[in-house]
Amino acid sequence: ETAAPVIALTFDDGPSPRYTQEVLAILRAHDVPATFFLTGREIEANPDLARAIVAAGHEVGNHSYSHRRMIFTLPATVAREVEDTDAAIRAAGYAGEILFRPPYGKKLLALPWYLSRHGRTSVTWDIEPESHPAMAASPEAMTAHVLDRARPGSIVIMHVMYPSRETSRQALPAIIEGLRAKGFFFATVSGLIAAGQVR
């Protein structure tokens, strides 16, 4: 919770060979910091792109290694999924706190137990413009959805790393410009948390 007009853009999955640089270019052109929740498997497959995200100054979070739905999974499996991805993130040169986003936003039993035991912050979202098929087919509708729902402290989730998400990539500049026009400024999720701690 914060009264400051600050918002976080977050991107799940990847990095991907075809689209990571395109997304970084959009963020660079608009001078926007973002938080990328990457999977360990894709970091290992594309280490240069993970390093490019870090070098651009963005926050990198853990989105598990394989993106499996971690419900009713064994503690050892959860530990592997989290720790292997942490190792890949560190190998990409990221030195900050590593936040965690559960695949599909789902967590039950072993995963929340592991995160709590290790003092990890789990991050979800409150604005998901891609969740409605009709909206996800239109950059204009996606942009309007974000602008209508944005509030101080909002976290926007988008998936921009794959061919099926062209609409999301098209909407991204308009979302950034529209939020700025409404008086919002952008922060990483860690920055958002810090803003919420200021009383």
Side-chain angles (χ1 to χ4, degrees):
E1 294 295 331
T2 178
V6 59
I7 198 162
L9 293 180
T10 68
F11 305 110
D12 280 15
D13 308 331
S16 69
R18 187 168 173 188
Y19 300 109
T20 299
Q21 293 290 4
E22 178 182 338
V23 173
L24 289 176
I26 292 170
L27 297 174
R28 182 168 56 251
H30 291 85
D31 193 25
V32 170
T35 301
F36 288 78
F37 287 97
L38 306 178
T39 67
R41 181 167 54 198
E42 288 175 290
I43 294 171
E44 290 181 354
N46 304 287
D48 290 348
L49 294 174
R51 285 192 285 271
I53 292 170
V54 174
H58 299 293
E59 182 168 37
V60 177
N62 183 323
H63 197 37
S64 81
Y65 186 84
S66 66
H67 204 280
R68 64 181 291 176
R69 195 179 297 264
M70 287 197 279
I71 301 177
F72 302 118
T73 49
L74 295 172
T77 301
V78 169
R80 266 195 319 274
E81 287 278 337
V82 175
E83 292 169 11
D84 288 356
T85 305
D86 277 359
I89 290 170
R90 293 301 186 208
Y94 185 71
E97 178 187 3
I98 301 176
L99 305 175
F100 183 83
R101 174 168 280 166
Y104 310 101
K106 306 295 185 184
K107 51 184 181 177
L108 189 65
L109 300 176
L111 178 56
W113 174 84
Y114 177 90
L115 296 174
S116 175
R117 187 172 178 222
H118 291 85
R120 299 296 291 268
T121 300
S122 182
V123 177
T124 53
W125 57 86
D126 66 310
I127 302 177
E128 185 180 11
E130 301 158 332
S131 60
H132 311 285
M135 188 183 311
S138 164
E140 295 77 17
M142 194 177 291
T143 300
H145 178 86
V146 174
L147 299 184
D148 288 346
R149 286 159 179 78
R151 62 175 181 80
S154 280
I155 297 176
V156 182
I157 181 175
M158 298 178 74
H159 300 75
V160 292
M161 292 293 174
Y162 303 124
S164 61
R165 298 299 188 174
E166 179 61 28
T167 304
S168 298
R169 290 186 294 277
Q170 291 174 358
L172 184 55
I175 288 171
I176 292 169
E177 292 162 7
L179 288 171
R180 278 225 170 100
K182 293 187 73 170
F184 286 97
F185 63 93
F186 297 93
T188 63
V189 173
S190 289
L192 197 69
I193 293 170
Q197 293 169 343
V198 175
R199 299 295 181 209

